[in-house]
Every structure is written in structure tokens, then in C-alpha cells.
Coordinates of all heavy atoms in Angstrom, one line a residue:
M22 N 26.5 1.1 42.7 CA 27.1 1.1 44.0 C 28.4 1.9 43.9 O 29.2 1.6 43.0 CB 27.3 -0.3 44.4 CG 28.2 -0.5 45.6 SD 28.5 -2.2 46.1 CE 28.0 -3.2 44.8
K23 N 28.6 2.8 44.8 CA 29.9 3.6 44.8 C 30.9 2.9 45.6 O 30.7 2.5 46.7 CB 29.6 5.0 45.3 CG 30.7 5.9 45.1 CD 30.2 7.3 45.1 CE 31.4 8.2 44.9 NZ 31.1 9.4 44.3
Y24 N 32.1 2.8 45.1 CA 33.2 2.2 45.8 C 33.9 3.2 46.7 O 34.0 4.4 46.4 CB 34.3 1.7 44.8 CG 33.9 0.3 44.2 CD1 32.8 0.2 43.3 CD2 34.6 -0.8 44.5 CE1 32.5 -1.0 42.8 CE2 34.3 -2.0 44.0 CZ 33.3 -2.1 43.1 OH 32.9 -3.4 42.6
Y25 N 34.4 2.8 47.8 CA 35.3 3.6 48.6 C 36.7 3.6 48.1 O 37.0 2.7 47.3 CB 35.3 3.1 50.1 CG 34.0 3.1 50.7 CD1 33.2 1.9 50.8 CD2 33.4 4.3 51.3 CE1 32.0 1.9 51.4 CE2 32.2 4.3 51.9 CZ 31.5 3.1 51.9 OH 30.2 3.1 52.5
F26 N 37.5 4.5 48.5 CA 38.9 4.5 48.0 C 39.9 4.7 49.2 O 39.5 5.4 50.1 CB 39.2 5.4 46.8 CG 38.9 6.9 47.2 CD1 40.0 7.6 47.7 CD2 37.7 7.5 47.0 CE1 39.8 9.0 48.0 CE2 37.5 8.8 47.3 CZ 38.5 9.5 47.8
A27 N 41.1 4.2 49.0 CA 42.1 4.4 50.0 C 43.4 4.7 49.3 O 43.6 4.1 48.2 CB 42.3 3.2 50.9
L28 N 44.3 5.5 49.9 CA 45.6 5.8 49.3 C 46.7 5.4 50.2 O 46.6 5.7 51.4 CB 45.7 7.3 49.0 CG 44.6 8.0 48.2 CD1 44.8 9.5 48.1 CD2 44.5 7.4 46.8
H29 N 47.7 4.7 49.7 CA 48.9 4.3 50.4 C 49.6 5.6 50.8 O 49.5 6.6 50.0 CB 49.7 3.4 49.6 CG 50.9 2.9 50.3 ND1 52.1 3.5 50.4 CD2 51.0 1.7 51.0 CE1 52.9 2.8 51.1 NE2 52.3 1.7 51.5
K30 N 50.4 5.6 51.8 CA 51.1 6.9 52.2 C 52.0 7.4 51.1 O 52.2 8.6 51.0 CB 51.8 6.6 53.5 CG 53.0 5.6 53.4 CD 53.7 5.5 54.8 CE 54.8 4.5 54.6 NZ 55.6 4.4 55.8
D31 N 52.6 6.5 50.3 CA 53.5 6.9 49.2 C 52.7 7.7 48.2 O 53.3 8.6 47.6 CB 54.2 5.7 48.6 CG 55.2 5.0 49.6 OD1 55.6 5.7 50.6 OD2 55.6 3.9 49.3
V32 N 51.5 7.3 47.9 CA 50.7 8.0 46.9 C 50.3 9.3 47.5 O 50.3 10.3 46.7 CB 49.4 7.1 46.6 CG1 48.5 7.9 45.7 CG2 49.8 5.8 46.0
K33 N 50.0 9.4 48.7 CA 49.7 10.7 49.3 C 50.9 11.7 49.3 O 50.8 12.9 49.0 CB 49.3 10.6 50.8 CG 48.0 9.9 51.0 CD 47.6 9.7 52.4 CE 46.3 9.0 52.6 NZ 46.0 8.7 54.0
K34 N 52.1 11.1 49.5 CA 53.4 11.9 49.4 C 53.6 12.4 48.0 O 54.0 13.5 47.7 CB 54.6 11.1 49.9 CG 54.7 11.0 51.3 CD 56.0 10.2 51.6 CE 56.1 9.8 53.1 NZ 57.3 9.0 53.4
F35 N 53.3 11.5 47.0 CA 53.5 11.8 45.6 C 52.6 13.0 45.2 O 53.0 13.9 44.6 CB 53.2 10.6 44.7 CG 53.4 10.9 43.3 CD1 54.6 10.8 42.7 CD2 52.2 11.2 42.5 CE1 54.7 11.0 41.3 CE2 52.4 11.4 41.2 CZ 53.6 11.3 40.6
L36 N 51.3 12.9 45.6 CA 50.3 14.0 45.3 C 50.7 15.3 46.0 O 50.5 16.3 45.4 CB 48.9 13.5 45.7 CG 48.3 12.4 44.9 CD1 47.0 11.9 45.5 CD2 48.1 12.9 43.4
A37 N 51.3 15.2 47.2 CA 51.7 16.4 47.9 C 52.8 17.1 47.1 O 52.9 18.4 47.1 CB 52.1 16.1 49.3
K38 N 53.7 16.4 46.5 CA 54.8 17.0 45.7 C 54.3 17.5 44.3 O 55.0 18.3 43.7 CB 55.9 15.9 45.5 CG 56.6 15.5 46.7 CD 57.7 14.5 46.4 CE 58.3 14.0 47.6 NZ 59.3 12.9 47.3
H39 N 53.2 17.0 43.8 CA 52.8 17.3 42.5 C 51.4 17.9 42.5 O 50.4 17.3 42.2 CB 52.7 16.0 41.6 CG 54.1 15.4 41.4 ND1 54.6 14.5 42.3 CD2 55.0 15.6 40.5 CE1 55.8 14.1 41.9 NE2 56.1 14.8 40.8
D40 N 51.4 19.2 42.9 CA 50.1 19.9 43.1 C 49.4 20.1 41.7 O 48.2 20.2 41.7 CB 50.3 21.3 43.6 CG 50.7 21.2 45.1 OD1 50.3 20.3 45.8 OD2 51.5 22.1 45.5
D41 N 50.1 20.0 40.6 CA 49.5 20.3 39.3 C 48.6 19.1 38.9 O 47.6 19.4 38.1 CB 50.6 20.4 38.3 CG 51.6 19.3 38.3 OD1 51.9 18.7 39.3 OD2 52.2 19.0 37.2
I42 N 48.8 17.9 39.4 CA 47.9 16.8 39.0 C 46.9 16.4 40.1 O 46.1 15.5 39.8 CB 48.7 15.6 38.4 CG1 49.6 15.1 39.5 CG2 49.4 16.0 37.2 CD1 50.1 13.7 39.2
T43 N 47.1 16.9 41.3 CA 46.2 16.4 42.4 C 44.8 16.6 42.1 O 44.0 15.7 42.3 CB 46.6 17.2 43.7 OG1 48.0 16.9 43.9 CG2 45.8 16.7 44.9
R44 N 44.4 17.8 41.6 CA 42.9 18.0 41.3 C 42.4 17.1 40.2 O 41.3 16.6 40.3 CB 42.7 19.5 41.0 CG 41.3 19.9 40.9 CD 41.1 21.3 40.7 NE 42.4 22.1 40.5 CZ 42.4 23.3 40.0 NH1 41.3 23.9 39.7 NH2 43.6 23.9 39.9
I45 N 43.3 16.9 39.2 CA 42.9 16.0 38.1 C 42.7 14.6 38.6 O 41.8 13.9 38.3 CB 44.0 16.1 37.0 CG1 44.0 17.4 36.4 CG2 43.7 15.0 35.9 CD1 45.2 17.7 35.5
F46 N 43.7 14.2 39.5 CA 43.6 12.8 40.1 C 42.3 12.6 40.8 O 41.6 11.6 40.6 CB 44.8 12.6 41.0 CG 44.7 11.3 41.8 CD1 45.0 10.1 41.2 CD2 44.3 11.3 43.1 CE1 44.9 8.9 41.9 CE2 44.3 10.1 43.8 CZ 44.6 8.9 43.2
Y47 N 41.9 13.5 41.7 CA 40.7 13.3 42.5 C 39.4 13.4 41.6 O 38.5 12.7 41.9 CB 40.6 14.3 43.6 CG 41.5 13.9 44.8 CD1 42.7 14.6 45.1 CD2 41.2 12.8 45.6 CE1 43.5 14.2 46.1 CE2 42.0 12.4 46.6 CZ 43.2 13.1 46.9 OH 44.0 12.7 47.9
R48 N 39.5 14.2 40.6 CA 38.3 14.2 39.6 C 38.2 12.8 38.9 O 37.1 12.3 38.8 CB 38.5 15.3 38.6 CG 37.3 16.0 38.2 CD 37.4 17.1 37.3 NE 38.5 18.0 37.6 CZ 39.4 18.5 36.8 NH1 39.3 18.2 35.5 NH2 40.3 19.3 37.2
K49 N 39.3 12.3 38.5 CA 39.2 11.0 37.9 C 38.9 9.8 38.9 O 38.2 8.9 38.5 CB 40.6 10.7 37.2 CG 40.8 11.6 36.0 CD 42.0 11.3 35.2 CE 42.1 12.3 34.0 NZ 42.5 11.7 32.8
L50 N 39.3 10.0 40.1 CA 39.0 9.1 41.1 C 37.5 9.0 41.4 O 37.0 7.9 41.6 CB 39.8 9.4 42.4 CG 39.6 8.5 43.6 CD1 40.1 7.1 43.2 CD2 40.4 9.0 44.8
Q51 N 36.8 10.1 41.3 CA 35.4 10.0 41.5 C 34.7 9.2 40.3 O 33.7 8.5 40.6 CB 34.8 11.5 41.5 CG 35.3 12.3 42.7 CD 34.9 11.6 44.0 OE1 33.8 11.1 44.2 NE2 35.8 11.6 44.9
V52 N 35.2 9.3 39.1 CA 34.7 8.5 38.0 C 34.9 7.0 38.2 O 34.0 6.2 38.1 CB 35.3 9.0 36.7 CG1 34.9 8.1 35.5 CG2 35.0 10.4 36.4
I53 N 36.1 6.7 38.7 CA 36.5 5.3 38.9 C 35.6 4.8 40.1 O 35.1 3.6 40.0 CB 38.0 5.2 39.3 CG1 38.8 5.5 38.1 CG2 38.3 3.7 39.7 CD1 40.3 5.7 38.3
A54 N 35.4 5.6 41.1 CA 34.7 5.1 42.3 C 33.2 4.8 42.0 O 32.6 3.9 42.5 CB 34.8 6.1 43.4
S55 N 32.7 5.5 41.0 CA 31.3 5.3 40.6 C 31.1 4.0 39.8 O 30.1 3.3 40.0 CB 30.7 6.5 39.9 OG 31.4 6.6 38.7
N56 N 32.1 3.6 39.0 CA 32.1 2.4 38.3 C 33.5 2.0 37.9 O 34.0 2.5 36.9 CB 31.1 2.5 37.1 CG 30.9 1.1 36.5 OD1 31.6 0.2 36.7 ND2 29.9 1.1 35.6
P57 N 34.2 1.2 38.6 CA 35.6 0.9 38.3 C 35.8 0.1 37.1 O 36.9 -0.1 36.6 CB 36.1 0.2 39.6 CG 34.9 -0.4 40.2 CD 33.7 0.5 39.8
F58 N 34.8 -0.5 36.5 CA 35.0 -1.4 35.4 C 34.6 -0.9 34.0 O 35.0 -1.4 33.0 CB 34.2 -2.8 35.6 CG 34.7 -3.4 36.9 CD1 33.9 -3.4 38.0 CD2 36.0 -4.0 37.0 CE1 34.3 -4.0 39.2 CE2 36.4 -4.6 38.2 CZ 35.6 -4.6 39.3
Q59 N 33.8 0.2 34.0 CA 33.4 0.8 32.8 C 33.6 2.3 32.9 O 32.9 3.0 33.7 CB 31.9 0.6 32.4 CG 31.7 -0.9 32.1 CD 30.2 -1.1 31.7 OE1 29.4 -0.2 31.9 NE2 30.0 -2.2 31.0
N60 N 34.6 2.8 32.2 CA 34.8 4.3 32.3 C 35.5 4.7 31.0 O 35.9 3.9 30.2 CB 35.7 4.6 33.5 CG 37.0 3.9 33.5 OD1 37.8 4.0 32.6 ND2 37.2 3.1 34.6
T61 N 35.7 6.0 30.9 CA 36.3 6.6 29.7 C 37.7 7.1 29.9 O 38.2 7.8 29.1 CB 35.4 7.7 29.2 OG1 35.3 8.7 30.2 CG2 34.0 7.2 28.8
L62 N 38.3 6.7 31.0 CA 39.6 7.2 31.4 C 40.7 6.3 30.8 O 40.4 5.2 30.2 CB 39.8 7.2 32.9 CG 38.7 7.9 33.7 CD1 38.9 7.8 35.2 CD2 38.8 9.4 33.3
D63 N 41.9 6.7 30.8 CA 43.1 6.0 30.3 C 43.5 5.0 31.4 O 44.4 5.2 32.1 CB 44.2 6.9 29.9 CG 45.3 6.2 29.1 OD1 45.2 4.9 28.9 OD2 46.2 6.8 28.7
I64 N 42.8 3.8 31.4 CA 43.1 2.8 32.4 C 43.3 1.5 31.7 O 42.6 1.1 30.7 CB 41.9 2.6 33.3 CG1 41.7 3.9 34.2 CG2 42.0 1.4 34.2 CD1 40.5 3.9 35.0
K65 N 44.3 0.7 32.1 CA 44.6 -0.6 31.6 C 44.9 -1.5 32.7 O 45.4 -1.2 33.8 CB 45.9 -0.5 30.7 CG 45.6 0.2 29.4 CD 46.8 0.1 28.5 CE 46.5 0.9 27.2 NZ 47.6 0.8 26.3
S66 N 44.5 -2.8 32.5 CA 44.8 -3.8 33.5 C 46.3 -4.2 33.5 O 46.9 -4.2 32.4 CB 43.9 -5.0 33.3 OG 44.2 -5.6 32.1
L67 N 46.8 -4.6 34.6 CA 48.2 -5.0 34.7 C 48.3 -6.5 34.3 O 47.6 -7.3 34.8 CB 48.8 -4.7 36.1 CG 48.9 -3.2 36.5 CD1 49.4 -3.1 37.9 CD2 49.7 -2.4 35.5
T68 N 49.3 -6.8 33.5 CA 49.5 -8.2 33.1 C 50.0 -9.0 34.3 O 50.9 -8.6 35.0 CB 50.6 -8.2 32.0 OG1 50.2 -7.3 30.9 CG2 50.7 -9.6 31.4
G69 N 49.3 -10.2 34.4 CA 49.7 -11.1 35.5 C 49.2 -10.8 36.8 O 49.5 -11.6 37.8
K70 N 48.4 -9.8 37.0 CA 47.8 -9.5 38.3 C 46.3 -9.3 38.1 O 45.9 -8.4 37.4 CB 48.4 -8.2 38.9 CG 49.9 -8.4 39.3 CD 50.4 -7.1 40.0 CE 51.8 -7.3 40.4 NZ 52.2 -6.1 41.2
K71 N 45.5 -10.1 38.8 CA 44.1 -10.0 38.7 C 43.6 -8.8 39.5 O 44.0 -8.6 40.7 CB 43.5 -11.3 39.2 CG 42.0 -11.4 38.9 CD 41.5 -12.8 39.3 CE 40.1 -12.9 39.0 NZ 39.5 -14.2 39.4
H72 N 42.7 -8.0 39.0 CA 42.1 -6.8 39.6 C 43.1 -5.7 39.9 O 42.8 -4.9 40.7 CB 41.4 -7.2 40.9 CG 40.3 -8.3 40.7 ND1 39.2 -8.0 39.9 CD2 40.2 -9.5 41.1 CE1 38.4 -9.1 39.9 NE2 39.1 -10.1 40.6
H73 N 44.2 -5.7 39.2 CA 45.2 -4.6 39.3 C 45.2 -3.8 38.0 O 45.2 -4.4 36.9 CB 46.6 -5.1 39.6 CG 46.7 -5.7 41.0 ND1 47.4 -5.0 42.0 CD2 46.3 -6.8 41.6 CE1 47.4 -5.7 43.1 NE2 46.7 -6.8 42.9
Y74 N 45.2 -2.5 38.2 CA 45.1 -1.6 37.0 C 46.1 -0.4 37.2 O 46.6 -0.2 38.3 CB 43.7 -1.0 36.9 CG 42.6 -2.1 36.8 CD1 42.0 -2.6 38.0 CD2 42.2 -2.6 35.6 CE1 41.1 -3.6 37.9 CE2 41.3 -3.6 35.5 CZ 40.7 -4.1 36.7 OH 39.8 -5.1 36.6
R75 N 46.2 0.3 36.1 CA 47.0 1.6 36.1 C 46.2 2.7 35.5 O 45.5 2.5 34.5 CB 48.4 1.4 35.5 CG 48.3 1.3 34.0 CD 48.8 2.7 33.3 NE 48.9 2.5 31.9 CZ 48.1 3.1 31.0 NH1 47.1 3.9 31.4 NH2 48.3 3.0 29.8
L76 N 46.3 3.8 36.1 CA 45.6 5.0 35.6 C 46.7 6.0 35.1 O 47.7 6.2 35.9 CB 44.8 5.7 36.8 CG 44.3 7.1 36.5 CD1 43.3 7.1 35.4 CD2 43.7 7.7 37.8
R77 N 46.6 6.5 33.9 CA 47.6 7.4 33.4 C 47.0 8.8 33.4 O 45.9 9.1 33.0 CB 47.9 7.0 31.9 CG 49.0 7.9 31.3 CD 49.3 7.5 29.9 NE 48.2 8.0 29.0 CZ 48.1 9.2 28.5 NH1 49.0 10.1 28.8 NH2 47.1 9.5 27.6
I78 N 47.8 9.7 34.0 CA 47.5 11.1 33.9 C 48.8 11.8 33.4 O 49.8 12.0 34.2 CB 47.2 11.7 35.3 CG1 45.9 10.9 35.9 CG2 46.9 13.2 35.3 CD1 45.5 11.3 37.3
G79 N 48.8 12.1 32.2 CA 50.0 12.7 31.6 C 51.2 11.8 31.6 O 51.0 10.6 31.1
K80 N 52.3 12.2 32.2 CA 53.5 11.3 32.2 C 53.5 10.5 33.5 O 54.5 9.8 33.7 CB 54.7 12.1 32.1 CG 55.0 13.1 33.2 CD 56.3 13.9 33.0 CE 56.5 14.9 34.1 NZ 57.7 15.6 34.0
Y81 N 52.5 10.6 34.3 CA 52.4 9.9 35.6 C 51.5 8.7 35.5 O 50.5 8.7 34.8 CB 52.0 10.8 36.7 CG 52.9 12.0 36.9 CD1 52.5 13.3 36.5 CD2 54.2 11.8 37.3 CE1 53.3 14.4 36.6 CE2 55.1 12.9 37.4 CZ 54.6 14.2 37.1 OH 55.5 15.2 37.2
R82 N 51.8 7.7 36.3 CA 51.0 6.4 36.4 C 50.7 6.2 37.9 O 51.5 6.4 38.8 CB 51.8 5.2 35.9 CG 52.4 5.4 34.5 CD 51.3 5.6 33.4 NE 51.8 5.5 32.1 CZ 52.1 6.6 31.4 NH1 52.1 7.8 31.9 NH2 52.5 6.5 30.1
F83 N 49.4 5.8 38.1 CA 48.9 5.4 39.4 C 48.5 4.0 39.3 O 47.7 3.6 38.5 CB 47.8 6.3 39.8 CG 48.1 7.7 40.0 CD1 48.2 8.6 38.9 CD2 48.5 8.2 41.2 CE1 48.5 9.9 39.0 CE2 48.8 9.6 41.4 CZ 48.8 10.4 40.3
L84 N 49.0 3.1 40.2 CA 48.7 1.7 40.2 C 47.7 1.5 41.4 O 47.8 2.0 42.5 CB 49.9 0.8 40.5 CG 51.0 1.0 39.5 CD1 52.2 0.0 39.8 CD2 50.6 0.8 38.0
Y85 N 46.6 0.7 41.0 CA 45.6 0.4 42.1 C 45.0 -0.9 41.9 O 45.2 -1.6 40.9 CB 44.5 1.5 42.0 CG 43.7 1.5 40.8 CD1 42.4 0.9 40.8 CD2 44.0 2.2 39.7 CE1 41.6 0.9 39.7 CE2 43.2 2.3 38.6 CZ 42.0 1.6 38.6 OH 41.2 1.7 37.5
E86 N 44.3 -1.4 43.0 CA 43.7 -2.7 43.0 C 42.2 -2.5 43.4 O 41.9 -1.6 44.2 CB 44.4 -3.5 44.1 CG 43.7 -4.9 44.3 CD 44.3 -5.6 45.5 OE1 45.2 -5.1 46.2 OE2 44.0 -6.8 45.6
V87 N 41.3 -3.2 42.7 CA 39.9 -3.2 43.0 C 39.6 -4.4 43.9 O 39.8 -5.5 43.4 CB 39.1 -3.2 41.7 CG1 37.6 -3.2 42.1 CG2 39.4 -2.0 40.8
R88 N 39.2 -4.1 45.1 CA 38.8 -5.2 46.0 C 37.3 -5.2 46.1 O 36.7 -4.5 46.9 CB 39.5 -4.9 47.4 CG 41.0 -4.9 47.3 CD 41.5 -4.5 48.7 NE 43.0 -4.4 48.7 CZ 43.7 -4.0 49.7 NH1 43.2 -3.6 50.8 NH2 45.0 -3.9 49.5
E89 N 36.7 -6.1 45.3 CA 35.3 -6.2 45.3 C 34.6 -6.6 46.6 O 33.5 -6.1 46.9 CB 34.9 -7.1 44.1 CG 35.2 -6.6 42.8 CD 34.7 -7.5 41.7 OE1 33.5 -7.7 41.6 OE2 35.6 -8.0 40.9
Q90 N 35.3 -7.5 47.3 CA 34.7 -8.0 48.6 C 34.5 -6.8 49.6 O 33.6 -6.8 50.4 CB 35.5 -9.1 49.2 CG 35.9 -10.2 48.3 CD 34.6 -11.0 47.9 OE1 33.5 -10.7 48.2 NE2 34.8 -12.0 47.1
E91 N 35.5 -5.9 49.6 CA 35.5 -4.7 50.5 C 34.8 -3.5 49.9 O 34.7 -2.5 50.6 CB 36.9 -4.4 50.9 CG 37.6 -5.6 51.5 CD 39.1 -5.3 51.7 OE1 39.4 -4.1 52.0 OE2 39.9 -6.2 51.6
I92 N 34.4 -3.5 48.6 CA 33.9 -2.4 47.9 C 35.0 -1.2 48.0 O 34.7 -0.1 48.4 CB 32.5 -1.9 48.4 CG1 31.6 -3.1 48.4 CG2 32.0 -0.9 47.4 CD1 30.3 -2.8 49.1
L93 N 36.2 -1.5 47.7 CA 37.3 -0.6 47.9 C 38.2 -0.6 46.7 O 38.5 -1.6 46.0 CB 38.1 -1.1 49.1 CG 39.4 -0.3 49.5 CD1 39.0 1.0 50.1 CD2 40.2 -1.1 50.4
I94 N 38.7 0.6 46.4 CA 39.7 0.8 45.4 C 40.9 1.4 46.1 O 40.9 2.4 46.7 CB 39.3 1.9 44.3 CG1 38.0 1.3 43.6 CG2 40.4 2.1 43.3 CD1 37.3 2.3 42.7
Y95 N 42.0 0.6 46.0 CA 43.2 0.9 46.8 C 44.4 1.3 45.9 O 44.9 0.5 45.1 CB 43.6 -0.3 47.6 CG 44.9 -0.1 48.5 CD1 44.9 0.8 49.5 CD2 46.0 -0.8 48.2 CE1 46.0 1.1 50.2 CE2 47.2 -0.6 49.0 CZ 47.2 0.3 50.0 OH 48.3 0.5 50.7
F96 N 44.8 2.6 45.9 CA 45.9 3.1 45.2 C 47.2 2.8 46.0 O 47.3 3.3 47.1 CB 45.7 4.6 44.9 CG 44.8 4.8 43.8 CD1 43.4 4.9 44.0 CD2 45.2 5.0 42.5 CE1 42.5 5.1 43.0 CE2 44.3 5.2 41.5 CZ 43.0 5.3 41.7
Y97 N 48.1 2.0 45.4 CA 49.3 1.6 46.2 C 50.6 2.2 45.7 O 51.6 2.1 46.3 CB 49.3 0.1 46.3 CG 49.4 -0.7 45.0 CD1 50.6 -0.9 44.4 CD2 48.2 -1.1 44.5 CE1 50.6 -1.7 43.2 CE2 48.2 -1.9 43.3 CZ 49.4 -2.1 42.7 OH 49.4 -2.8 41.5
D98 N 50.6 2.8 44.5 CA 51.9 3.3 44.0 C 51.6 4.4 42.9 O 50.6 4.4 42.2 CB 52.7 2.2 43.3 CG 54.2 2.5 43.3 OD1 54.6 3.6 43.8 OD2 55.0 1.7 42.7
A99 N 52.5 5.4 42.9 CA 52.4 6.5 41.9 C 53.8 6.9 41.6 O 54.6 7.1 42.5 CB 51.6 7.6 42.5
D100 N 54.1 7.2 40.3 CA 55.4 7.6 39.9 C 55.3 8.0 38.4 O 54.3 7.8 37.7 CB 56.4 6.6 40.1 CG 57.8 7.2 40.4 OD1 58.1 8.3 40.1 OD2 58.6 6.5 41.0
S101 N 56.4 8.5 37.9 CA 56.5 8.8 36.5 C 56.6 7.5 35.6 O 56.8 6.4 36.2 CB 57.7 9.7 36.2 OG 58.9 9.0 36.4
R102 N 56.3 7.6 34.4 CA 56.2 6.5 33.5 C 57.5 5.6 33.5 O 57.4 4.4 33.6 CB 56.0 6.9 32.0 CG 55.9 5.8 31.1 CD 55.7 6.4 29.6 NE 55.9 5.4 28.7 CZ 57.0 5.0 28.1 NH1 58.2 5.6 28.5 NH2 57.1 4.0 27.2
G103 N 58.6 6.2 33.5 CA 59.9 5.4 33.5 C 60.2 4.7 34.8 O 61.0 3.7 34.8
D104 N 59.7 5.1 35.9 CA 60.1 4.6 37.2 C 59.0 3.7 37.8 O 59.3 2.9 38.8 CB 60.4 5.7 38.1 CG 61.6 6.5 37.7 OD1 62.4 5.9 37.0 OD2 61.6 7.7 37.9
I105 N 57.8 3.7 37.4 CA 56.7 3.0 38.1 C 56.8 1.5 38.0 O 56.4 0.8 39.0 CB 55.3 3.6 37.6 CG1 54.2 3.1 38.5 CG2 55.0 3.1 36.2 CD1 54.1 3.7 39.8
Y106 N 57.2 1.0 36.9 CA 57.2 -0.5 36.7 C 58.4 -1.2 37.2 O 58.6 -2.4 37.0 CB 56.9 -0.8 35.2 CG 55.6 -0.2 34.8 CD1 55.6 0.9 33.8 CD2 54.4 -0.6 35.3 CE1 54.4 1.4 33.4 CE2 53.2 0.0 34.9 CZ 53.2 1.0 33.9 OH 52.0 1.5 33.5
R107 N 59.4 -0.5 37.8 CA 60.6 -1.1 38.3 C 60.4 -1.8 39.6 O 59.7 -1.5 40.4 CB 61.7 -0.1 38.4 CG 62.1 0.4 37.0 CD 63.2 1.4 37.1 NE 63.4 1.9 35.8 CZ 64.3 2.8 35.5 NH1 65.1 3.3 36.4 NH2 64.4 3.3 34.3

């Protein structure tokens, strides 16, 4: 079952500013959408939050939530490594 995905407006703005990783992001998003729980990408679960994960692309991090009831992957934040967890 393929999951749908949604991007928060801040993630869209981030991708608009960083053209160099936009294509990579969407390629990895297709892998996550096909199976969000088993993949070969650099993904880790966030401590203390159920169904929340981070995707690493170089020095950037993308935070997202897997909503199984809605069959949705929701990316809600994106930033560089030093600023994302603040």
C-alpha cells in the first residue's frame, strides 16, 4: 500500500530555497511512501514521540510523522542539523 504525503508550508519554503536537495528529497520521499517502516535511507525515530521520524539528507534534516489511520506521511519541519532540534 502506497502512502500519500503532505508538506507543511515551511518545508515547501525550505525546498524552494535549497534547489540542490529538492530532487534528492523527492526521490527519497517516493521510497518512504512505498514503505515507511522498512527502507534503506538514513532515517531514525525521534525519542519521546511515537510515529515521528527524521530523514537526513547531507547536513539537512526533515522531520515527519507517519499517520497510519490516514495513510499519510506528513513532513512538518526542515532545517540544517544545528537548528532543527531547537
